[in-house]
């Protein structure tokens, strides 16, 4: 399987095979790695106001700025494997 196929497979497995709810830190890491792998570096402005969830997601993704899509895919796959005990 190619890295892209492994990544898509991990994304599907993350929806069905993670039995217990991951920690907020792991959820943010999953979100940020997925977005970095799928869309690349973050663009746009930081959310304002009291939307703390959106701000946390923005900050998590912003921390990955400069990381290649391939590297983000590998880290995402590794994290899904850890969370699914694969």
């Amino acid at each position: 399987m190619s890295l892209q196929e492994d990544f898509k497979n991990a994304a599907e497995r993350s929806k069905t095979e993670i039995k217990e709810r991951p920690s907020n830190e792991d959820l943010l890491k999953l979100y940020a790695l997925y977005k970095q792998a799928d869309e690349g570096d973050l663009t746009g402005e930081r959310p304002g106001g009291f939307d703390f969830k959106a701000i946390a997601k923005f900050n998590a993704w912003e921390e990955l700025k400069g990381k290649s899509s391939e590297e983000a895919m590998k880290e995402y796959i590794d994290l899904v494997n850890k969370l699914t005990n694969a």
Side-chain angles (χ1 to χ4, degrees):
M1 255 196 258
S2 72
L3 180 59
Q4 187 74 27
E5 290 170 326
D6 287 343
F7 175 70
K8 287 182 181 179
N9 182 277
E12 287 302 312
R13 287 181 27 240
S14 74
K15 297 173 190 172
T16 59
E17 293 182 20
I18 298 176
K19 303 299 181 205
E20 293 182 22
R21 184 182 189 280
S23 68
N24 287 339
E25 182 180 321
D26 283 338
L27 286 172
L28 285 171
K29 202 177 292 186
L30 280 171
Y31 171 82
L33 287 169
Y34 182 88
K35 295 294 273 186
Q36 187 70 18
D38 193 49
E39 297 180 29
D41 285 343
L42 174 71
T43 57
E45 295 183 16
R46 186 174 192 265
F50 294 99
D51 191 351
F52 300 115
K53 185 175 179 181
I55 292 169
K57 286 180 168 184
F58 181 93
N59 291 341
W61 187 8
E62 185 176 46
E63 288 177 15
L64 301 180
K65 199 171 215 167
K67 185 180 293 267
S68 72
S69 290
E70 292 79 18
E71 195 176 341
M73 284 183 197
K74 289 175 187 174
E75 289 183 29
Y76 181 87
I77 292 165
D78 290 344
L79 182 55
V80 170
N81 286 340
K82 177 186 152 205
L83 294 173
T84 59
N85 299 317

